[in-house]
Amino acid sequence: MRFLIAFVAIIGYASAGAILSHLAYGVNPGDAQAAAIDATVAAQDTARAINEGHARAAEAVVQHNTEAVRQAAEASREIHETAYWNGVAATQNAVAAAQSHSAAVSGAAAAVRAAHLASPLVTAPYGIAAPYGIAAPYTAYGAYGVAPYGLGVHAW
């Protein structure tokens, strides 16, 4: 914009000089008209070039901003995708841990059942079942360790 103002000032100075020189030297009116046309065309070309430069600069800014927005959106998408898959992995790990604990408890219960069925059991005196409701097989209270009132070996 400063260049345009300076250019117009120079053209004005040159025009004033041309007008004054006509008075002093007596220039041909055709030459003065041609000089005015040349100055007008030069000013229009300069203004057009400045406007084209502004348009190119504005286009470059728009392209730069568009690229910056695209990169920010891509980075955000990658962050959210990573967070999503980390959540999926954490959920799968929690399910696997719960299944491992369930299997461990089931294994421990099976081991306890097997130990109770395989070990020699003793019935407490006076018709009371041994601790934990387990009685020995073939006791005085019946076959297979069944004690009175449903006390005895449980199938759990």
Side-chain angles (χ1 to χ4, degrees):
M1 194 56 135
R2 292 179 188 167
F3 175 75
L4 183 60
I5 293 170
F7 184 73
V8 169
I10 291 172
I11 290 175
Y13 179 75
S15 297
I19 292 172
L20 294 176
S21 66
H22 290 297
L23 296 175
Y25 302 114
V27 177
N28 183 357
D31 289 341
Q33 185 179 8
I37 291 171
D38 289 343
T40 302
V41 169
Q44 288 174 348
D45 288 345
T46 302
R48 187 177 302 116
I50 290 171
N51 285 336
E52 288 174 0
H54 284 280
R56 283 192 301 273
E59 184 178 347
V61 167
V62 168
Q63 287 177 350
H64 175 73
N65 288 344
T66 303
E67 180 64 20
V69 167
R70 187 194 62 77
Q71 288 177 357
E74 184 176 328
S76 176
R77 183 190 56 79
E78 289 177 5
I79 289 169
H80 286 284
E81 185 177 335
T82 301
Y84 170 79
W85 287 115
N86 287 343
V88 168
T91 302
Q92 290 174 345
N93 290 342
V95 168
Q99 289 173 341
S100 294
H101 288 293
S102 175
V105 168
S106 294
V112 167
R113 279 193 306 269
H116 284 231
L117 293 176
S119 66
L121 300 175
V122 179
T123 304
Y126 306 112
I128 301 172
Y132 309 109
I134 302 171
Y138 302 108
T139 63
Y141 305 107
Y144 304 107
V146 177
Y149 307 110
L151 299 174
V153 177
H154 296 283
W156 66 104

